[in-house]
């Protein structure tokens, strides 16, 4: 209680169902909750991950990723840094300090829900203080948003990536935000 964003279950459900699985919850008041994760049987053939192919014409970009979850930042950095220059910040305040130092980015990708200051606060600061970066701003989210947050995102008219997302989604977003790329 009082820690986290309450999105862990929504994110877990999203990941499990995208992989063809099922998440089953059984809860008994006063005794606890049992979570069962079921996946279809794997084939006996070895799975070889395909090499990541960049979008046609895609070039390396400077990305700023802002998320309060260290594991999310680490995995995004690992996946995206083979193609792009990735800078990560765990707090909106750290991202603001970085921008104040004069750092510039081709894409600012910020989680919507964070404990101290959320992505919407960062977007408002970018629009006010660094308007040249505002068209390069996008949100990412991993769960259900409040009505207020949804309305604020809609009013901001910025793209939103649903976590987890594939690296190609970042390439497509870069192409959409910077047609000259």
């Amino acid at each position: 209680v009082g820690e986290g964003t309450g999105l862990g279950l929504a994110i877990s459900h999203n990941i499990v169902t995208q992989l063809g699985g099922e998440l089953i919850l059984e809860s008994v008041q006063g005794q606890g909750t049992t979570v069962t994760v079921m996946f279809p049987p794997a084939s006996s053939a070895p799975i070889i991950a395909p090499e990541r192919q960049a979008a046609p014409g895609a070039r390396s970009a400077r990305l700023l990723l802002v998320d309060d979850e260290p594991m999310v930042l680490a995995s995004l950095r690992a996946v995206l840094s083979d193609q792009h220059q990735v800078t990560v910040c765990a707090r909106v305040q750290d991202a603001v300090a970085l921008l104040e130092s004069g750092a510039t980015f081709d894409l600012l990708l910020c989680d919507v829900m964070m404990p101290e200051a959320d992505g919407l606060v960062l977007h408002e600061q970018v629009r006010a203080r660094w308007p040249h970066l505002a068209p390069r701003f996008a949100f990412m989210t991993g769960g259900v948003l409040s009505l207020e947050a949804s309305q604020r995102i809609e009013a901001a008219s910025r793209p939103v990536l649903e976590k987890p997302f594939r690296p190609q989604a970042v390439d497509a977003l870069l192409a959409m935000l910077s047609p000259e790329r």
Side-chain angles (χ1 to χ4, degrees):
V1 176
E3 292 184 27
T5 60
L7 296 175
L9 183 58
I11 293 169
S12 299
H13 181 265
N14 190 16
I15 292 169
V16 169
T17 55
Q18 283 185 3
L19 294 171
E22 186 177 358
L23 193 65
I24 302 167
L25 298 169
E26 297 176 42
S27 186
V28 178
Q29 190 168 358
Q31 293 183 0
T33 301
T34 301
V35 179
T36 305
V37 180
M38 294 179 24
F39 289 103
S43 70
S44 59
I47 298 173
I48 300 170
E51 275 192 41
R52 179 171 174 246
Q53 298 294 319
R59 293 181 295 167
S60 180
R62 294 162 301 178
L63 308 180
L64 173 60
L65 308 178
V66 184
D67 196 305
D68 62 312
E69 294 291 333
M71 297 290 278
V72 170
L73 285 176
S75 63
L76 287 173
R77 175 185 267 161
V79 169
L80 296 172
S81 63
D82 65 339
Q83 171 87 27
H84 303 290
Q85 299 166 31
V86 180
T87 302
V88 298
C89 292
R91 301 175 333 132
V92 166
Q93 295 86 335
D94 297 335
V96 168
L98 190 61
L99 294 170
E100 284 175 339
S101 76
T104 187
F105 299 93
D106 298 306
L107 175 64
L108 289 79
L109 191 54
C110 186
D111 189 25
V112 174
M113 310 231 346
M114 293 186 287
E116 293 176 19
D118 62 25
L120 294 156
V121 168
L122 179 58
H123 177 254
E124 290 166 8
Q125 288 192 30
V126 167
R127 277 189 30 217
R129 299 175 66 186
W130 304 281
H132 66 286
L133 295 176
R136 303 177 195 171
F137 197 100
F139 295 106
M140 58 183 170
T141 184
V144 179
L145 298 172
S146 69
L147 178 60
E148 178 190 356
S150 296
Q151 290 171 338
R152 288 174 62 202
I153 288 172
E154 188 175 329
S157 298
R158 301 308 315 142
V160 179
L161 291 180
E162 294 284 333
K163 294 185 280 187
F165 52 85
R166 298 184 184 279
Q168 293 82 353
V170 171
D171 294 335
L173 191 54
L174 283 163
M176 180 183 79
L177 296 177
S178 303
E180 68 277 2
R181 291 181 60 82

